[in-house]
Amino acid sequence: MGLVAGDLGPARARERFLHGGPVAEGVRGPILDSWQRSRSLGLTPEGCELPYRQDLDLDGRLVRAAGPVLDRLQARFAGRNMNVCLADGHGAVLQRRFGEASLVRHLAAIQSVPGFVFAEQFAGTNGIGLALAERQLITVYGAEHFAERSQTNACAAIPVRDPLSGRIEGVLCFGYPPTDADAGLNTVISRAAGAIEQRLLTQSSLRERALLQAYLDARGRAAAGGVTGNGEPAGTGLDWRDELLLKERAADLIASAQRAAVEVKLPGGRRVTLLSRPVTSPSGVEGVVIEAVLPAPHEHLAVLADVGAPPGDPAADARTLTPPPPGSGADTARGRPVAAARPPDTAGLTGPAPHGAAGPVVLIGEPGVGTYAVAARHRLELLSEASTRIGTTLDVSRTARELAEMAVPRLADYVTIDLPEAVLRGEEPTDLRTGLHRTVVHGIRPDCPFYPEGEPVALRPTTPQIRCLTNRQPVLEADLPAATDWIAQDAAHTHQLLDHGIHSLIAVPLLARGIALGIASFYRAQDPAPFGDDDRSLAQELAARAAICIDNARRFTREHTMVLALQHSLLPQRFPEQSAVEVAHRYLPAASGVGGDWFDVIPLSGTRVALVVGDVVGHGLHAAATMGRLRTAARNFAELDLPPDEVLTQLDNLVARLDRDEGTEDPAADSPGIIGASCLYAIYDPTSQVCVMARSGHPPPALVHPDGTVDLPDLPAGPPLGLGGLPFETAAVPLPEGSQLVLYTDGLLADRHRDVDTSLDRLRRALSHPARSPEDTCEAVVRTVVPPHPDDDIALLVARTRALDRRRIATWDLPADPSLVSGIRAAVTRQLTAWGLEETVFATELLLSELVTNAVRYGTAPIQVRLLHDRTLICEVSDASSTAPHLRRAASTDEGGRGLFLVAQLAQAWGTRYTPDGKVIWAECALEAPGAKAAAERFFDDIPAL
């Protein structure tokens, strides 16, 4: 009995614990915590000596309230081996009742005589002491008791609270043999404690009624009451909102316990003066009465609430009872409608205006009751404000800091929050007892010596923080100087904290959706009063709200990280080698999530290069996946050597087709489709130093000339991708060597705090330094133009143009005459020798012979041959025909069809591109080709003799 797992019995588990063995998985958390506290206090099972107190108040309000309840319990358990006791808030037994009267003659004095103190620091693990330590209903069975003398007993104990303050006034405890254990006893003891608390509440009601009667007797009753039968204000012109304002301010005056006059402003410019006066009942109860005065024409304010039933009527008591402050732990689980009670500060305790008084009574109560009411209101205000101030971002660390900022100084003086690295990365934590990191330290002073932020935090299993994680319940340490488990964590460090005045702690687990995400620790130093149950409940509520926000931020971080990783994998990891431009780039994800911005640099034939920037509207996984599809498609269309307008046309068709496909595959799936995409496609040719561009719904690029002037060319604005039916236009822009072409997405200029013209001015200033490298230009643009928290993704691509030296370009124009092929071979040989490329002569002669022969035989004049000496040797043959050759495998009996096969064997790459005037067939050879002649000879050897 009492174990949560395994076959380890309580006695063996306790024995193993006393010998230092592991028992954490076999003993209930509260019991193990109590055992550890008992050992840390220096207690031994044989040496738990109980102090005896004779200065007990055996006729106090707790005993008077519990008397009838104990009588009923004694009658209920008549004839049974049941020990019912009532202890005070320090664990000292005030009364004992026995089901079997003869038990008192057989039990030891500590089990039968009032006055012995069963607090945990004296008695070890036991019902009364553990109920005070855990501040909730607990059960202890047999060997779960720490002391040897209690091994044959079982008990259930529950705190009894003052419903007004939530403070623990005492403990009700049942003792019985373990064989008589019954789950129904928990229900009985809970109801009994609730009945005692209800009687304490009734006592408070009678005290305040006595104050009201004393006040009325002292001033006399007025002839006119001003109260209608239903309690509504008579002729005052005040509504219920006005009443709430007056009662709220009156509660503050009662809490201050001072004689005062305060003017309260009501809506509509009206004013009411509240007067506070002290009053004392004949029995010596001191309180404060609040009167109200209206200026002319209404001299007096009518009574704000009806008196209700006559004094002593239970119905009136129910209406005038003050509920405990929210979260005080006054056991709503016991089934009592605590929240339905109305406080005396805001209901019921009013009466007709006394003769000669300044005005009718608004409120009356004891200062302590008013203090609790004001504190309850402040807690509600704090929780209400927390719902709007915690979770303003989807950043885990920022959300944790918002929790700390809410709690300081209104609940605690210092707050520390420890989260594991997994949570900060967006992952789900595994074992929070290891891997914690100090995420937040916040307090009224910056010099308190807590573990600094960012440092790992290793906590011992007995610390309040780890105990709250293990039990998943907040742990209150009201007296830190006496909390040996907390001090034992790091004695030097904890004594430094004590030297700074820290004296009380609440450790709360951050729980969300069944997952423990971390620990929030609330410390008090400036306020001399220690934390109480109200504070613990408030800290738990704040932590619960913050934990949901932290979990939301964690999940967003995980998804954001996944989408960001996907997008980075879809973006270029490095650019291929090319000589046309020097490039640098930046990609900045939006603060709210990853979008669909992308860029690319694609080498093309003839030393040309394609520069691409695109943007898919939206954020998240869908936008990133769509971006990957478009980038892949753009590269494929670029491989076809299509001009910019045709590439955009193909992308436009693709986007429209994707929209149709995603919308028809599963009509019930409600797929978002591609709701918009833009693209800018540019091709730069270093041989002509001309850039041809086209755009589809995308911002135009910026051109930085060698002299530092910055232009935004007026490119034809094509429609966004996916609309279909509209053509795209190209524009050719000359770019001298050393010019910079800057491509970007609209996130660079979009900022809710400034207009586009301001952003363009900043961009021009950042770019007006032509001597900068593309990398430095990117840094300057990011530093001066990018918003601090961009709402959209930003893709930036800077390309500085180069020109191919004219001496590395050779061109020959040919008529359509096959006899001239040999002359071209000789001219090419001389040019290659001049360039120092003798090793490539043999392969180049073969390539050009085949390409020129095809052009002469199948093409149309004019025919041109061009050699480009770049990173490779590029051979180009152009003609005016649009008919392109195709590679095929010739049969052994075919006389032709092997020329392009030879070209494919000798060249690194070859292909065809179309021009407005015809086509160009090109082949690219390595600059060093010592094996080309051998490859050609093998090729001819494989051809059978004809």
Side-chain angles (χ1 to χ4, degrees):
M1 213 178 284
L3 296 180
V4 297
D7 299 326
L8 191 64
R12 291 184 58 194
R14 178 172 164 276
E15 190 67 23
R16 181 178 293 181
F17 166 78
L18 294 174
H19 287 85
V23 295
E25 299 300 324
V27 180
R28 289 185 291 146
I31 299 298
L32 181 58
D33 293 342
S34 180
W35 286 357
Q36 292 169 338
R37 289 194 298 269
S38 299
R39 288 301 298 268
S40 65
L41 290 169
L43 299 178
T44 60
E46 303 83 7
C48 297
E49 297 295 333
L50 306 185
Y52 179 78
R53 290 180 53 190
Q54 295 180 337
D55 56 338
L56 297 177
D57 186 2
L58 299 179
D59 193 30
R61 60 192 297 262
L62 176 63
V63 175
R64 293 197 303 273
V69 179
L70 295 179
D71 292 340
R72 291 198 298 271
L73 289 174
Q74 186 174 12
R76 175 167 184 160
F77 295 127
R80 293 182 57 180
N81 189 1
M82 178 68 69
N83 183 342
V84 180
C85 74
L86 178 72
D88 64 14
H90 300 288
V93 176
L94 300 175
Q95 276 200 19
R96 284 189 181 274
R97 305 291 182 90
F98 298 94
E100 174 60 52
S102 61
L103 287 175
V104 71
R105 296 192 299 270
H106 304 292
L107 294 175
I110 62 170
Q111 294 178 307
S112 58
V113 178
F116 286 96
V117 181
F118 282 81
E120 192 179 62
Q121 62 264 36
F122 306 116
T125 307
N126 71 95
I128 295 174
L130 192 53
L132 288 173
E134 296 292 329
R135 311 177 81 86
Q136 61 183 343
L137 171 64
I138 60 93
T139 53
V140 183
Y141 301 97
E144 290 184 332
H145 287 85
F146 191 77
E148 292 285 357
R149 60 173 173 269
S150 304
Q151 298 299 295
T152 59
N153 298 329
C155 62
I158 189 171
V160 177
R161 291 179 169 86
D162 183 340
L164 292 177
S165 65
R167 184 178 60 246
I168 293 179
E169 295 290 333
V171 177
L172 181 64
C173 181
F174 292 173
Y176 46 88
T179 55
D180 292 348
D182 183 358
L185 288 177
N186 288 347
T187 303
V188 174
I189 197 172
S190 296
R191 292 178 176 175
I196 298 174
E197 292 176 351
Q198 188 69 25
R199 291 181 59 81
L200 288 172
L201 207 55
T202 302
Q203 290 181 9
S204 298
S205 172
L206 295 176
R207 288 162 64 91
E208 293 190 341
R209 286 187 177 278
L211 285 173
L212 176 61
Q213 190 61 48
Y215 175 74
L216 297 178
D217 291 343
R219 303 298 300 269
R221 294 185 178 276
V227 181
T228 62
N230 60 0
E232 294 295 330
T236 62
L238 301 176
D239 59 18
W240 62 272
R241 299 177 185 83
D242 303 327
E243 295 176 23
L244 288 179
L245 290 174
L246 293 175
K247 291 175 182 178
E248 181 177 308
R249 193 66 186 92
D252 292 332
L253 290 175
I254 292 176
S256 65
Q258 295 179 352
R259 186 186 296 270
V262 176
E263 187 176 64
V264 181
K265 295 180 181 179
L266 299 178
R270 297 165 298 160
R271 299 173 184 271
V272 173
T273 301
L274 295 182
L275 304 176
S276 64
R277 302 173 183 271
V279 62
T280 304
S281 72
S283 62
V285 178
E286 297 181 350
V288 177
V289 64
I290 308 297
E291 302 164 328
V293 179
L294 266 175
H298 302 290
E299 182 180 357
H300 297 300
L301 174 68
V303 182
L304 295 183
D306 61 304
V307 177
D313 184 3
D317 291 344
R319 283 195 304 272
T320 58
L321 299 181
T322 300
S328 65
D331 235 341
T332 56
R334 297 172 188 166
R336 298 185 294 109
V338 175
R342 296 171 61 191
D345 312 73
T346 58
L349 295 181
T350 59
H355 185 71
V361 175
V362 177
L363 296 176
I364 189 168
E366 297 178 73
V369 175
T371 301
Y372 299 137
V374 172
R377 188 176 72 247
H378 289 169
R379 289 185 175 93
L380 286 175
E381 292 171 353
L382 179 60
L383 291 175
S384 176
E385 187 177 347
S387 64
T388 60
R389 288 185 53 189
I390 298 178
T392 59
T393 68
L394 287 172
D395 179 82
V396 173
S397 299
R398 179 58 200 163
T399 303
R401 181 163 294 278
E402 287 170 347
L403 167 61
E405 292 172 349
M406 277 301 307
V408 176
R410 297 160 70 177
L411 171 62
D413 296 318
Y414 299 95
V415 174
T416 64
I417 299 178
D418 303 323
L419 301 175
E421 279 190 315
V423 171
L424 297 174
R425 293 193 303 265
E427 301 170 5
E428 189 169 309
T430 52
D431 185 4
L432 285 186
R433 291 172 294 184
T434 59
L436 287 171
H437 277 69
R438 179 59 45 87
T439 306
V440 174
V441 177
H442 183 66
I444 56 176
R445 293 173 51 187
D447 59 344
C448 202
F450 290 99
Y451 295 137
E453 292 182 4
E455 294 293 325
V457 178
L459 300 175
R460 299 176 59 175
T462 57
T463 58
Q465 287 83 356
I466 298 300
R467 282 162 41 205
C468 84
L469 275 182
T470 303
N471 300 329
R472 300 204 164 202
Q473 292 292 332
V475 173
L476 168 61
E477 291 287 356
D479 186 11
L480 281 181
T484 54
D485 290 340
W486 178 74
I487 294 176
Q489 163 66 26
D490 184 345
H493 175 70
T494 52
H495 280 100
Q496 283 183 325
L497 296 177
L498 294 176
D499 292 341
H500 278 72
I502 291 177
H503 59 78
S504 189
L505 161 67
I506 301 174
V508 186
L510 297 172
L511 304 175
R513 303 177 179 94
I515 302 173
L517 302 174
I519 307 166
S521 301
F522 302 85
Y523 296 88
R524 180 167 286 178
Q526 206 167 38
D527 188 345
F531 284 126
D533 282 342
D534 296 343
D535 303 307
R536 180 176 65 170
S537 299
L538 178 59
Q540 184 177 18
E541 180 67 21
L542 282 175
R545 298 188 183 199
I548 293 295
C549 297
I550 291 174
D551 192 48
N552 290 339
R554 178 190 68 83
R555 291 167 182 262
F556 171 81
T557 300
R558 179 186 61 190
E559 295 179 4
H560 180 77
T561 302
M562 291 172 57
V563 175
L564 191 61
L566 171 63
Q567 186 172 44
H568 278 300
S569 69
L570 296 175
L571 290 173
Q573 305 303 309
R574 60 184 181 87
F575 292 134
E577 294 182 355
Q578 46 81 33
S579 302
V581 291
E582 178 187 358
V583 294
H585 68 278
R586 291 292 185 275
Y587 170 75
L588 303 175
S592 59
V594 176
D597 292 15
W598 55 283
F599 56 91
D600 210 343
V601 176
I602 309 170
L604 302 177
S605 64
T607 70
R608 299 169 307 138
V609 65
L611 306 173
V612 196
V613 171
D615 184 4
V616 176
V617 176
H619 294 88
L621 186 62
H622 182 264
T626 302
M627 175 272 293
R629 292 164 121 178
L630 291 183
R631 176 176 175 255
T632 302
R635 291 192 70 91
N636 291 334
F637 295 141
E639 291 294 330
L640 299 176
D641 258 331
L642 299 177
D645 55 336
E646 293 189 25
V647 170
L648 294 184
T649 299
Q650 296 294 336
L651 291 175
D652 180 61
N653 294 334
L654 173 65
V655 171
R657 187 165 56 253
L658 290 176
D659 271 334
R660 290 194 302 271
D661 294 343
E662 293 185 3
T664 58
E665 285 180 359
D666 184 6
D670 193 22
S671 174
I674 304 173
I675 60 175
S678 66
C679 184
L680 171 63
Y681 192 93
I683 296 178
Y684 173 70
D685 188 346
T687 64
S688 63
Q689 301 179 41
V690 172
C691 184
V692 180
M693 295 177 279
R695 63 186 179 118
S696 59
H698 201 85
L703 301 182
V704 184
H705 296 278
D707 61 358
T709 58
V710 180
D711 292 334
L712 298 176
D714 186 17
L715 297 183
L721 297 177
L723 295 184
L726 296 175
F728 298 97
E729 300 181 55
T730 60
V733 180
L735 293 181
E737 185 176 10
S739 302
Q740 287 191 351
L741 182 63
V742 181
L743 290 74
Y744 53 87
T745 55
D746 56 3
L748 180 66
L749 304 180
D751 185 3
R752 68 181 67 176
H753 302 296
R754 68 184 185 216
D755 56 32
V756 176
D757 291 337
T758 302
S759 299
L760 285 173
D761 290 340
R762 293 189 178 185
L763 179 61
R764 285 190 175 94
R765 288 196 298 270
L767 297 178
S768 59
H769 298 276
R772 284 176 175 163
S773 67
E775 190 69 30
D776 293 339
T777 300
C778 282
E779 287 294 332
V781 171
V782 170
R783 185 174 58 254
T784 59
V785 184
V786 174
H789 302 285
D791 298 322
D792 195 6
D793 285 24
I794 298 173
L796 175 65
L797 183 65
V798 178
R800 182 159 63 186
T801 63
R802 298 178 178 138
L804 187 62
D805 192 341
R806 288 293 174 183
R807 293 171 295 180
R808 288 174 169 260
I809 304 174
T811 305
W812 297 272
D813 293 321
L814 293 178
D817 184 356
S819 64
L820 299 178
V821 174
S822 60
I824 286 297
R825 286 204 303 266
V828 167
T829 300
R830 290 192 296 271
Q831 184 62 60
L832 294 178
T833 303
W835 284 342
L837 301 178
E838 292 85 355
E839 294 290 336
T840 65
V841 169
F842 181 79
T844 305
E845 285 184 347
L846 288 177
L847 287 174
L848 283 177
S849 294
E850 190 60 41
L851 295 180
V852 172
T853 300
N854 281 340
V856 170
R857 181 176 298 177
Y858 305 108
T860 304
I863 299 174
Q864 185 182 77
V865 176
R866 186 170 74 157
L867 291 183
L868 302 177
H869 181 196
D870 190 39
R871 294 176 178 270
T872 60
L873 180 64
I874 301 172
C875 306
E876 296 181 346
V877 177
S878 62
D879 64 79
S881 171
S882 60
T883 303
H886 297 282
L887 178 65
R888 66 182 180 88
R889 178 174 291 277
S892 59
T893 57
D894 291 344
E895 295 185 9
R898 296 178 179 83
L900 287 181
F901 185 69
L902 174 62
V903 171
Q905 294 295 312
L906 297 178
Q908 289 186 159
W910 75 278
T912 304
R913 70 173 181 269
Y914 293 93
T915 66
D917 301 323
K919 69 176 183 295
V920 176
I921 302 176
W922 56 271
E924 185 176 312
C925 302
L927 295 182
E928 296 181 2
K933 184 174 182 179
E937 291 174 348
R938 287 195 303 272
F939 173 78
F940 287 115
D941 290 340
D942 292 337
I943 300 177
L946 298 179

